Amino acid sequence: MKKLVIVALILAAVVAVGVWAGGTAEEEPTMVTIRDLTLDFDRCQASRGDERIPLTPTEFKILAHLARNVGKVVSPVDIL
């Protein structure tokens, strides 16, 4: 499966479910988990189950920004 499709699936799951793991209400979470998809903000890694999804630093930065802003309108300027 192409990397762009995988990233789109992760983003869709983040937006649809928005389940956060780690952190408290006062601090940003260190990880987002949706079913078998995980975004680890500390390690800048995305994985599905036990399989790591290879992302460039820019791809992860965009995905992480969108995951942190679920339900909000995000402009392209904010992302980059």
Side-chain angles (χ1 to χ4, degrees):
M1 189 179 300
K2 293 192 178 214
K3 185 171 24 175
L4 184 58
V5 173
I6 294 170
V7 171
L9 290 172
I10 292 171
L11 178 58
V14 167
V15 171
V17 181
V19 177
W20 295 95
T24 67
E26 296 176 359
E27 61 186 39
E28 285 192 13
T30 59
M31 196 173 287
V32 173
T33 301
I34 300 102
R35 297 187 184 142
D36 65 340
L37 301 174
T38 302
L39 289 178
D40 185 333
F41 299 127
D42 290 341
R43 294 182 179 162
C44 296
Q45 293 180 350
S47 59
R48 186 169 188 189
D50 293 332
E51 185 178 344
R52 187 165 173 241
I53 300 169
L55 298 173
T56 66
T58 301
E59 290 168 336
F60 186 84
K61 178 183 170 189
I62 291 169
L63 188 57
H65 184 75
L66 294 172
R68 287 183 174 121
N69 290 283
V70 171
K72 298 179 185 175
V73 175
V74 180
S75 76
V77 174
D78 292 336
I79 293 172
L80 300 174

